[in-house]
Amino acid sequence: MVTTDNPQALSQDFDLKAYLQNQQAIVEAALDQAILVTEPPKIYEAMRYSLLAGGKRLRPILCLATCELLGGTGAMALPTACALEMIHTMSLIHDDLPAMDNDDYRRGKLTNHKVYGEDIAILAGDALLAYAFEFIADRTENVPPAQVLQVIARLGRAVGAAGLVGGQVVDLESEGKTDITVEELSFIHTHKTGALLEVCVTSGAILAGAAAADLDRLTRYAQNIGLAFQIIDDILDITATQEELGKTAGKDLQAEKATYPKLLGLEGSRQRADQLVGEAIAQLEPYGSAAMPLVAIAQFITARKN
Ligand code: GRG
């Protein structure tokens, strides 16, 4: 139902903590069932080690919430939601490798390569990436095949050279450079982090059979929260502790990475993130109270501590 209620105001009555806990429990149970240990056990154990290591599960929750907003069911989106978390986990495993960010901790635990070795960590990432696509194709029910195909195509685009991989390449190239512009930084963020967050929202919408106007609106919502998410990530790298983050703090400064705080300062970066979240929430205005989960998730992005 479309109402003209102000979603920003309505979200104050929404219990985000309870909502997130409930959705996280659904996602955790589905992920636990999605990959079982079989032969050869080492690779399945390595996949499960990182996939079930916690994390906020923001990406699957965004997918479920968007599908439900547009009248779909959680069950229709759950396989895609799990696949999104598999791909996100894969990107974290590869990002932590010595050839990339070289990190020892992730989600409060030793990184995958520290436990299983670099060779197995690379393969665990590869296996999660491949299985994510198989999982959507095999497990999605009660959704027209053309919509499932569209989700698979968009997901492929979001993780490849036009998305995550492209953003990561420019990010690696920017290390140590002192003349990175806001535009270049925005390219890195929108590809490395934003592309996956965007497809979390758009895939949920497509599975629910979204009309073009809804898809446009929700894409703008997703692009704004995606950039805000990475700006807050840059801020937390400076202001939060290793215990809070579950990974090494201060890595961006150490690697001489281009970040928003470097270009805009901490306060300027916070203001930019707040502005983006405001713009994201404005896109949800036509949905009224039905959009409360997406409004609250957008607000959570700037309020989060890890
Ligand atoms: C996709 C083939 C392929 C390769 C990946 C390594 C790489 C190429 C890209 C790096 C992508 C990356 C790790 C971006 C950072 C995104 C980010 C801010 C992660 C932290 O997300 P949270 O805070 O983490 O949601 P949790 O642990 O809560 O899930």
Side-chain angles (χ1 to χ4, degrees):
M1 186 184 67
V2 173
T3 77
T4 53
D5 295 331
N6 174 356
Q8 175 110 37
L10 283 167
S11 76
Q12 282 157 15
D13 298 328
F14 181 74
D15 189 347
L16 178 68
K17 198 168 166 215
Y19 174 80
L20 289 180
Q21 274 173 359
N22 183 55
Q23 298 296 83
Q24 276 159 357
I26 291 169
V27 171
E28 291 299 335
L31 289 173
D32 189 35
Q33 283 302 307
I35 298 175
L36 304 175
V37 178
T38 174
E39 291 297 320
K42 193 190 267 184
I43 190 66
Y44 292 100
E45 281 161 12
M47 291 160 79
R48 282 178 62 87
Y49 174 80
S50 293
L51 188 64
L52 302 176
K56 297 178 282 298
R57 309 309 194 192
L58 192 64
R59 291 157 189 81
I61 292 173
L62 273 169
C63 177
L64 296 173
T66 310
C67 185
E68 287 169 350
L69 168 69
L70 297 182
T73 64
M76 285 159 68
L78 195 54
T80 299
C82 289
L84 289 161
E85 189 65 27
M86 288 176 203
I87 289 174
H88 169 55
T89 301
M90 168 265 135
S91 77
L92 300 179
I93 295 173
H94 282 195
D95 193 48
D96 291 334
L97 287 167
M100 303 266 181
D101 266 8
N102 191 17
D103 222 315
D104 292 352
Y105 292 96
R106 174 70 71 172
R107 292 175 163 172
K109 296 173 71 175
L110 282 171
T111 43
N112 200 288
H113 65 272
K114 282 278 157 190
V115 177
Y116 294 96
E118 272 182 64
D119 45 5
I120 295 297
I122 291 168
L123 293 169
D126 294 344
L128 281 168
L129 179 61
Y131 190 52
F133 288 95
E134 178 187 341
F135 201 71
I136 297 176
D138 260 6
R139 305 292 178 94
T140 306
E141 289 177 355
N142 301 319
V143 179
Q147 283 161 229
V148 180
L149 211 53
Q150 232 195 100
V151 165
I152 290 173
R154 281 187 183 237
L155 192 50
R157 186 170 170 80
V159 298
L164 258 77
V165 171
Q168 180 77 348
V169 168
V170 180
D171 192 25
L172 292 170
E173 285 174 349
S174 84
E175 279 180 26
K177 281 193 190 163
T178 52
D179 56 351
I180 301 290
T181 63
V182 173
E183 289 70 32
E184 285 164 324
L185 190 55
S186 160
F187 178 94
I188 295 170
H189 287 354
T190 52
H191 289 74
K192 195 180 97 167
T193 305
L196 190 59
L197 286 165
E198 182 178 326
V199 81
C200 293
V201 171
T202 54
S203 62
I206 290 166
L207 291 166
D214 286 321
L215 198 55
D216 285 351
R217 229 169 223 291
L218 290 163
T219 300
R220 287 194 291 275
Y221 162 83
Q223 287 170 342
N224 284 321
I225 62 163
L227 191 48
F229 187 89
Q230 184 60 54
I231 294 174
I232 297 297
D233 211 69
D234 285 357
I235 292 174
L236 290 174
D237 186 71
I238 298 169
T239 59
T241 63
Q242 171 159 343
E243 287 66 38
E244 286 170 316
L245 293 178
K247 62 178 182 179
T248 315
K251 285 289 296 233
D252 293 341
L253 268 178
Q254 202 185 313
E256 296 181 312
K257 282 217 170 163
T259 64
Y260 264 86
K262 218 176 193 177
L263 290 180
L264 303 182
L266 275 176
E267 199 39 47
S269 301
R270 273 200 197 94
Q271 282 171 9
R272 181 77 186 113
D274 285 340
Q275 183 194 3
L276 287 162
V277 165
E279 286 165 19
I281 291 172
Q283 296 301 323
L284 303 174
E285 205 259 335
Y287 307 107
S289 59
M292 277 195 295
L294 288 184
V295 172
I297 291 169
Q299 290 166 337
F300 167 76
I301 280 172
T302 41
R304 72 196 173 99
K305 299 280 178 264
N306 69 17

